Structure formats: C-alpha cells, structure tokens
Amino acid sequence: MTLRSAEGATEIVQDDKAVYAAGAVVWRLVDGKLRVLLIHRTKYRDVTLPKGKVDPGEMLAQTAVREVFEETGIRVALGVPVGVSRYFMRPKRQKVVHYWAAEATEEAIRNSAFVPNHEISGLEWVSVKKARKCLSYPVDLEILDGFEKLVDDGILRTFPIIALRHAKAVGRSDWEMSDASRVLTERGKKQAAAIVAPLLAFGVRKIITSDAVRCVQTITPLAKALDRKPVQTELISQDAWEDGRSDARMVIGKRVRTGKPAVLCSHGPVLPDIFSELALATGTMPGSYLGSASALEVAAFSVAHLSATNPGSGIISIETHVPKV
C-alpha cells in the first residue's frame, strides 16, 4: 500500500518491521456547529480516535472504514487524509497509523447499533477545542491539527475523483485478436476483486470506464457490489488515445461539475491526460505530483480530493493505493 500527497508526492511504503493501522477523524455538524467523535476505551481507560490494525490482505482505506464501523457502528466514506502518527509499541517495533477525515451523515448515525462493550465503553461528540482537552495521547493531537487545518481552510467537505488503471491483462504478444479485446489474467481477476472494498471506502457511486474489455472486467466486481451499471466510453480508451480521438477533458469536466464520488478506469498512457485535465478543470497548479499520481501499477488507483463547497480550492490532495495481489 502506497500513499502520496499532492504536496511533493511523498511516498510511504510498508515496512515488515512496523505494525500498520488506520482510522479517521469522524465529524458531523450539529445545529451548524462542528463536532468530532471520540471513543472511550474500556481496557485502556483512555480517550482516543477510532482506529485499528490492518487485517491480512486489507488496504489502508478499507481498514479505516471497517475499524470506524466496528468501534462506533457508523458507516462512513473517507475524505481527505489528515495525517500519519508513528510511535513505538516496544523497542524496535513501530506502529504507523494513517487517518482520514470522514463525515458521519445523520442517516449513518441513526443506523448505528453501537452499545457499550468490552472494548469501547462510550462515544462522545465534542467540539475540536474540547477534543484537545480530552484526548489521551499527543499523537492524536497532531492528527487533530491536520484536521483543523482543513476546517480553517474551508475545505473539510470533499468528494473524490478516482483514476484507476485496469488490472493485469494478457500481454499483447500473447493475444492474437484486437488489443481492446484483451482479457484479464487470473491475477488480474484477483486484483479486481481486491480493490472493491478500498474503492467503496471512498464512497464511490459512479463508474466510468474505457470500453476496452480489460477495463470493463476490472470494474465489474465493483459494479456488482454497488448494483450499478458502469458507463463505458471510448473517450478514455487506449485505442482512441493512440488514434488521437480520446477526450479526457470532456469526461473530467462532467465529473467535476457533478461533484459526486466517481471512479474512472483507464490505461497507463491515458492516465497523465486524465490528471492534467483534472488540474486544468480545478485551477490547480501543475507539478511533479501529477506525474507521480498517474504513474500507476496495474490495479492501482489515485484518489484526487476536491472541495464540495469551495471549487476554487483546486485539488486538495492526491493519494495513491496499490493492491498487494
């Protein structure tokens, strides 16, 4: 799993010596006032943010959403990354925890079945100021700093546009028919299944894909999970790109105007155009981070977070996720 931020395209790679975890600063508005969710843990008698360790085979975003639900009963979609905490559990054993901002909708809160248990004794919605007084650990305060910066900048509520490179397909040299008809390998099919939960973690509802078979097959498991029909288009296909007929601008422009979470499944050569058009459509200064975000391995995806309330903010951040399959 790899994360890159828009600022400098920093890369974080998992170290086998570290323990990885993920969580969120869960927030809501109550009578127009911002409140964040704290959990009171039974065993440790402390107050902290919802988080938990990565299960085998999980990607970080998937872990964050699962842990929030398991600890609070609230289903959330992830927003902007707000920081990474690092601390030592014991000598030479570091714990690394990735956090996102995550809005709790009123419906999600009503549907929560949380009751105090042997792990969590209670939940508490508090102001950011009070959270600073209640949190038990300095590393949580650092995460709260990242969250509060989003609040101060007026860009807390966001929506993602996700660029996904298709999963592993049969090579051109091994395929006798048209390039667009190439199918996924067995590994590719496993990759397509593995990225469903991480993509759902960002609240994806709309699926747009190149009409190439390898792209359509890549997003089929996601489409089934959402019970939604993907939109197929040659505008972001490799064939159209090679012939000069692609039009990433039209596709991206519509997605930015719509302001809804979406995933676009395309091809390696087309991805740089997708990110260039995303920067252009949002008034974002170009930089090397765009190249980093578009240089995706097969089945990897980059999440561009855009402000839902302040369009002039441009791309708030970009993070890249790579499946281990």
Side-chain angles (χ1 to χ4, degrees), residues 69-225:
F69 178 71
E70 289 181 359
E71 293 189 337
T72 71
I74 300 172
R75 294 191 183 277
V76 297
L78 301 179
V80 179
V82 291
V84 181
S85 67
R86 296 176 175 83
Y87 54 91
F88 283 92
M89 302 168 62
R90 57 180 182 271
K92 298 183 180 180
R93 189 64 165 171
Q94 189 182 45
K95 188 168 186 179
V96 181
V97 190
H98 290 262
Y99 289 92
W100 285 261
E103 182 178 8
T105 66
E106 291 305 311
E107 180 182 5
I109 294 169
R110 286 195 303 270
N111 290 337
S112 171
F114 172 82
V115 292
N117 55 70
H118 68 283
E119 291 187 1
I120 310 297
S121 59
L123 307 178
E124 186 177 14
W125 291 98
V126 300
S127 66
V128 174
K129 182 178 181 180
K130 185 175 180 181
R132 291 191 175 282
K133 297 178 181 179
C134 295
L135 286 167
S136 300
Y137 306 107
V139 288
D140 286 349
L141 294 176
E142 293 174 5
I143 299 302
L144 204 59
D145 288 341
F147 175 81
E148 195 164 19
K149 186 177 187 304
L150 295 175
V151 177
D152 292 341
D153 291 344
I155 50 176
L156 183 56
R157 182 171 281 134
T158 58
F159 69 95
I161 293 181
I162 303 173
L164 165 68
R165 186 178 178 185
H166 64 77
K168 180 67 175 177
V170 176
R172 283 192 178 189
S173 60
D174 299 320
W175 192 254
E176 296 181 352
M177 294 180 283
S178 68
D179 180 68
S181 68
R182 281 195 288 138
V183 298
L184 297 186
T185 62
E186 288 304 311
R187 181 189 173 209
K189 293 175 183 177
K190 292 178 181 178
Q191 290 173 330
I195 59 177
V196 171
L199 289 169
L200 291 177
F202 292 100
V204 168
R205 302 297 295 168
K206 187 76 173 180
I207 306 171
I208 300 94
T209 180
S210 157
D211 56 5
V213 171
R214 57 192 181 275
C215 284
V216 175
Q217 288 185 329
T218 297
I219 53 78
T220 293
L222 175 65
K224 288 181 177 178

Side-chain angles (χ1 to χ4, degrees), residues 240-269:
W241 181 84
E242 291 176 351
D243 294 342
R245 296 180 291 102
S246 63
D247 195 344
R249 178 169 299 184
M250 178 178 292
V251 177
I252 287 295
K254 184 174 182 179
R255 298 274 53 89
V256 172
R257 291 192 300 273
T258 301
K260 302 294 183 181
V263 58
L264 282 63
C265 185
S266 189
H267 310 259

